[in-house]
Amino acid sequence: METELLMKSLGEVARVARERLGLTQTQVARQIGIAPNVYGRIERGHMMPSVPTLRRMALVLGLSSDVLLVLGSADVAPSLETPAPENNLAPELRQTVRMLRGWSPIKVKWLNRILKAIENVPEEE
């Protein structure tokens, strides 16, 4: 996502969340710990907040940072225990990953050995 589009999306989400809570920009800015004019620039999509500010925004607005960053469940895993989404993989690799999920640990171990051997084979041009 382009930076400008991300800034505009983040600002729009922040504005809607703030209005839903019945707060003014000044009230949110004070709770976050930034100047009201800086928060206004963020809401208008003219400024990207720092990571600590983004975290405080999420807490004050009662939103997940995923919502502020316009990330859907297909884009990120919900926790460290969950496998990463496969949507960024090539179709053949996605198919392979799905197939491997049903394999026993011994089969995966053997495949890993084969792949390590193949990795050292020089590629032809």
Side-chain angles (χ1 to χ4, degrees):
M1 182 179 276
E2 294 285 331
T3 302
E4 288 182 20
L5 181 58
L6 177 58
M7 287 191 303
K8 288 191 182 303
S9 297
L10 185 144
E12 178 67 18
V13 169
R15 182 188 60 76
V16 169
R18 175 184 58 78
E19 289 174 349
R20 180 194 70 193
L21 295 171
L23 299 171
T24 66
Q25 285 185 348
T26 301
Q27 289 170 321
V28 172
R30 285 190 181 135
Q31 289 181 46
I32 293 172
I34 60 176
N37 65 329
V38 172
Y39 181 77
R41 289 182 63 210
I42 293 170
E43 265 197 19
R44 288 189 300 279
H46 296 187
M47 183 177 175
M48 182 66 74
S50 67
V51 172
T53 300
L54 180 67
R55 183 179 188 282
R56 290 190 306 270
M57 282 177 64
L59 292 171
V60 169
L61 297 173
L63 295 174
S64 164
S65 58
D66 292 354
V67 174
L68 284 169
L69 295 173
V70 194
L71 296 172
S73 59
D75 299 318
V76 294
S79 72
L80 291 174
E81 292 79 29
T82 307
E86 299 170 7
N87 61 339
N88 294 330
L89 301 177
E92 297 84 8
L93 193 51
R94 276 197 310 268
Q95 182 180 13
T96 303
V97 169
R98 282 198 282 314
M99 182 173 59
L100 291 175
R101 285 196 178 125
W103 283 20
S104 67
I106 192 70
K107 276 186 167 183
V108 173
K109 186 176 180 179
W110 275 103
L111 178 62
N112 195 17
R113 288 179 182 170
I114 294 167
L115 292 173
K116 284 181 182 177
I118 293 172
E119 189 175 40
N120 295 325
V121 175
E123 292 188 31
E124 294 182 32
E125 292 185 25

